[in-house]
Amino acid sequence: MAAGQGAGQAAGQGVGQGAGGRVRAARGPTASAVHTAAAALLVLALGAVAVRGIAEPRVALAFTALIALGECVRITLPGDREQAPIGAAGALAYALLGPLRGVPTAHGTLQVVAVTGTGLLLGWLPGLALPRRPGRPHRRPPWADPARRDSAARRLLAVGFAAAVFQPLYNGGLVDRFSPEGPAYGAFLTAVAALATLCDATLAALLRASATGLRFPAALEDELRSLFGIGSAIVATGMLVSLAAGEVGLWALPLFCTPLLLAQVSFRRAAAVRATTGQTIASLARATEVAGYTPHGHARRVADTACALGRELGLGTRELALLEYAALMHDVGQLSLVEPVPDGATALLSCAEQQRIARLGSEVISRTGVPRQVAEQVARLADPCPGPAGGDGPVPLAARIIRVANAHDDLLTAARGRGLGEAVGRLEALEVLRLGRGRVYDARVVDALARVGGQGRG
């Protein structure tokens, strides 16, 4: 459907791991409940179809093939969301399918679910047959991938919801009062599609919050925001196919799904650009370590801590991604120093020197092609946190988060250097940050660090 993403790891292993995309928390009862409900619905639907038989087999076969094809050409969206736009549009179109070439259809809700589920399962088969590339890890079957299971469960439940609203009204003759060519019928389809999309976004937010630790309101905001991208194209295509099928029959499937396929190509190119940006960020993040200006793994640890704080403070996926980029590159300005700071601990330097390093780093970052907000966040890292900071305005929350995360790792490194144990070092670092709470460091962020550390995620 429409909406829908560890400390000590080297930054060169890839960008996006701390922002809640690839690093996944233990899956709780929410995911299990969604998967169980989807599986039970599919079993019920398949059983009903087996008993009653298939209505309009040729139509069911065409939509099954379309959904399976969509699963074979999935794309990865920002926030590490996987989506099958063609399959999602095809499933929605079948759920909202009324007349076909002017002849009423009678497939019903459970057959919609059965066709969608069968298409999903068939779409998983080609991935199992592909040979493993040399040097690549063993390919997991699709049902062993949590993201694929989440996507399939959401699709079944959201499509089932759309069909449960539309099909009984259509088969019961209540929709006959609307002319298929009139605006009222289109408005009715739009309302059903909007409700199904909201259902899908809610399920996606629940699953994402369960998997990443992101707060549900922030996760829901992310999913709703994603609807303005390819999500809107999926819904529009599904509605167009269902409407056009009333006039041109099954030719509506290739006719209106081809533009969506072209849109997928554009999204793939955009993903390639994002991958290049990620490689640039990873290289810059490692530059200070290779040059000996910062300890090994410092940038990655700061990024992980910053992202944990961002999730605790309710940042969405996009904001977390920008935060992670800035955290990984926050020490780039140290490359301008003649002599490295001992242990790279910029938190122990004077405020003026910290600001100078931050500004220099921001100038370097602004020339790398990363989003403008990243350079702005790095430039403001060392600015005083309380109140407006001169003519530059309030310090961005991301900059305040990174400042606390950086100081936390610097203080921990210093504590280890004095031979203190990990637990004692963490308590000492937190106490130092609390002494600067509201004056040097943002009070909300320090409090969030205390909560995150207490949960073992800091």
Side-chain angles (χ1 to χ4, degrees):
M1 287 290 290
Q5 74 120 193
Q9 291 179 340
Q13 291 178 322
V15 176
Q17 297 174 8
R22 297 184 181 95
V23 172
R24 298 189 178 272
R27 291 184 164 266
T30 300
S32 298
V34 172
H35 295 167
T36 301
L41 179 61
L42 179 57
V43 170
L44 174 63
L46 291 174
V49 170
V51 172
R52 301 174 186 172
I54 302 176
E56 297 112 12
R58 186 171 62 93
V59 179
L61 180 61
F63 278 96
T64 300
L66 180 65
I67 295 169
L69 173 64
E71 280 297 306
C72 295
V73 291
R74 299 175 68 85
I75 59 174
T76 301
L77 302 177
D80 204 37
R81 297 178 179 88
E82 281 201 2
Q83 181 62 278
I86 293 177
L92 179 63
Y94 194 52
L96 302 180
L97 183 62
L100 186 71
R101 277 188 178 272
V103 178
T105 59
H107 46 274
T109 301
L110 291 179
Q111 183 165 312
V112 170
V113 176
V115 165
T116 301
T118 303
L120 287 170
L121 295 175
L122 291 176
W124 288 356
L125 295 180
L128 299 177
L130 291 176
R132 184 171 67 90
R133 295 182 182 179
R136 295 288 183 89
H138 181 68
R139 187 188 303 274
R140 290 191 301 173
W143 53 82
D145 183 352
R148 295 292 292 271
R149 293 202 305 269
D150 287 354
S151 176
R154 284 170 38 215
R155 181 92 56 83
L156 284 171
L157 292 174
V159 168
F161 175 81
V165 174
F166 177 82
Q167 290 295 325
L169 295 178
Y170 174 77
N171 294 325
L174 297 178
V175 183
D176 291 344
R177 66 186 65 180
F178 303 139
S179 171
E181 295 82 14
Y185 186 75
F188 174 65
L189 286 184
T190 301
V192 176
L195 289 174
T197 301
L198 181 60
C199 172
D200 180 76
T202 302
L203 290 172
L206 285 170
L207 290 168
R208 195 168 187 83
S210 173
T212 65
L214 193 65
R215 292 189 176 184
F216 175 74
L220 182 59
E221 180 183 352
D222 286 338
E223 299 300 331
L224 293 176
R225 187 179 299 168
S226 73
L227 298 179
F228 296 99
I230 200 168
S232 58
I234 292 173
V235 175
T237 300
M239 292 174 54
L240 282 172
V241 169
S242 66
L243 286 170
E247 297 294 330
V248 300
L250 295 179
W251 284 106
L253 275 64
L255 183 64
F256 288 98
C257 287
T258 299
L260 190 57
L261 180 61
L262 297 177
Q264 282 194 216
V265 174
S266 298
F267 271 88
R268 287 185 185 276
R269 291 179 177 176
V273 173
R274 289 195 303 273
T276 302
T277 301
Q279 292 170 1
T280 301
I281 292 170
S283 298
L284 285 173
R286 293 193 63 196
T288 54
E289 298 178 9
V290 174
Y293 282 87
T294 57
H296 177 71
H298 169 74
R300 182 71 261 168
R301 291 192 299 272
V302 171
D304 290 339
T305 301
C307 289
L309 294 174
R311 286 192 292 271
E312 182 67 22
L313 293 170
L315 295 186
T317 301
R318 173 173 168 74
E319 289 77 12
L320 285 172
L322 295 176
L323 172 65
E324 184 183 21
Y325 290 166
L328 285 170
M329 297 187 290
H330 75 281
D331 271 331
V332 169
Q334 288 203 49
L335 296 174
S336 64
L337 301 176
V338 177
E339 292 292 336
V341 179
D343 293 324
T346 53
L348 305 181
L349 296 176
S350 66
C351 184
E353 186 65 7
Q354 290 184 47
Q355 290 177 329
R356 187 182 74 84
I357 293 173
R359 297 292 195 275
L360 290 171
S362 175
E363 291 178 7
V364 173
I365 293 169
S366 64
R367 290 171 171 78
T368 62
V370 300
R372 172 181 50 84
Q373 298 96 315
V374 176
E376 293 176 352
Q377 291 168 7
V378 173
R380 305 294 303 280
L381 287 179
D383 288 358
C385 66
D392 294 331
V395 179
L397 176 59
R400 289 177 269 152
I401 289 173
I402 297 171
R403 185 172 193 180
V404 170
N406 177 62
H408 182 254
D409 192 70
D410 286 346
L411 293 167
L412 274 178
T413 301
R416 295 187 190 106
R418 299 198 312 272
L420 294 180
E422 190 69 18
V424 176
R426 287 181 178 274
L427 289 174
E428 181 183 277
L430 184 59
E431 185 60 29
V432 171
L433 294 173
R434 279 174 169 162
L435 290 175
R437 181 181 180 276
R439 181 171 47 85
V440 180
Y441 306 109
D442 184 270
R444 287 177 57 213
V445 180
V446 174
D447 292 343
L449 178 65
R451 294 195 299 272
V452 168
Q455 297 167 16
R457 293 183 295 167

